[in-house]
Amino acid sequence: MVKHTKAFKVQVAERHLTGRDGYQSLANEFGIARELVREWSRLYERWGETIFDPSYTAHSLPFKLEVLNDMATNGLSRMEAALKYRISSPGMISNWRSTYEREGVEGLAAKPKGRAPMARRKKKDPEEMTEVEKLKERVEYLEMENAALKKLRALVQEENARRTGSRRK
């Protein structure tokens, strides 16, 4: 979810860039951090309002490394790097840097989104199974069946108790 809309960011940046208001006065008026007004103004001045369009781009590992390397070799700040590489959020660069320091290059690689699929156990062919494996499988099946029957019995008893109005003691 976006906390501030594109129109709001453009409005704040334009008001600052027209020279009517300073960072602090805009921050106080809109109840936002002074640094946000500064970031939005600089990004808007350099790239225009398209910088605030929602972007669902997953940056590649080489791109992230290029940004971090450029910051290290040329002493760029987060904001300068964001302006140079057209990154709408300097905070994202901070996340990359801390992840890189914690986990190394592997941490910057894109991770798959969503829930991991459940691993399915592959059943062996009954002819290939040893006697012990067959017995273990049979015990597992009977335990599941037993648990299901216990649950069914409890549900039936609960339903009967609800109908008769009596409680189990």
Side-chain angles (χ1 to χ4, degrees):
M1 185 180 128
V2 179
K3 188 172 183 179
H4 303 290
T5 64
K6 175 184 174 180
F8 176 71
K9 292 176 184 179
V10 169
Q11 176 190 4
V12 171
E14 284 179 344
R15 285 213 19 213
H16 175 264
L17 293 173
T18 58
R20 293 188 334 212
D21 300 299
Y23 295 133
Q24 193 61 53
S25 64
L26 285 169
N28 291 342
E29 180 180 337
F30 292 109
I32 57 176
R34 179 182 172 277
E35 188 61 27
L36 273 180
V37 177
R38 183 173 172 267
E39 285 178 11
W40 294 345
S41 297
R42 291 186 68 192
L43 287 167
Y44 180 76
E45 183 177 36
R46 171 81 162 87
W47 296 105
E49 67 181 65
T50 59
I51 192 69
F52 301 126
D53 288 339
S55 171
Y56 301 103
T57 304
H59 298 288
S60 68
L61 177 61
F63 177 77
K64 293 175 186 178
L65 290 173
E66 179 184 348
V67 172
L68 294 175
N69 187 36
D70 194 14
M71 287 177 66
T73 56
N74 298 324
L76 298 178
S77 69
R78 292 178 315 136
M79 191 65 216
E80 291 167 338
L83 287 170
K84 182 176 180 178
Y85 290 98
R86 200 175 195 284
I87 298 171
S88 63
S89 174
M92 190 177 349
I93 298 171
S94 294
N95 291 342
W96 295 346
R97 185 187 305 162
S98 62
T99 301
Y100 180 76
E101 290 169 357
R102 240 185 4 260
E103 303 172 27
V105 176
E106 296 81 29
L108 292 177
K111 293 164 184 67
K113 301 284 186 204
R115 189 174 183 172
M118 289 182 56
R120 299 212 181 246
R121 283 195 311 185
K122 186 178 178 185
K123 285 196 163 192
K124 288 185 176 180
D125 193 28
E127 288 99 34
E128 296 175 6
M129 294 172 69
T130 65
E131 192 63 31
V132 174
E133 288 174 327
K134 288 179 184 176
L135 290 173
K136 281 183 180 179
E137 191 174 277
R138 176 80 175 141
V139 166
E140 187 178 312
Y141 175 80
L142 291 173
E143 285 174 346
M144 286 190 307
E145 185 179 40
N146 194 16
L149 290 172
K150 283 182 181 179
K151 183 68 175 176
L152 178 63
R153 186 179 318 124
L155 290 171
V156 168
Q157 286 176 349
E158 186 179 306
E159 182 64 29
N160 287 340
R162 201 176 302 133
R163 283 190 196 150
T164 60
S166 63
R167 295 273 181 210
R168 204 172 115 204
K169 293 182 183 179

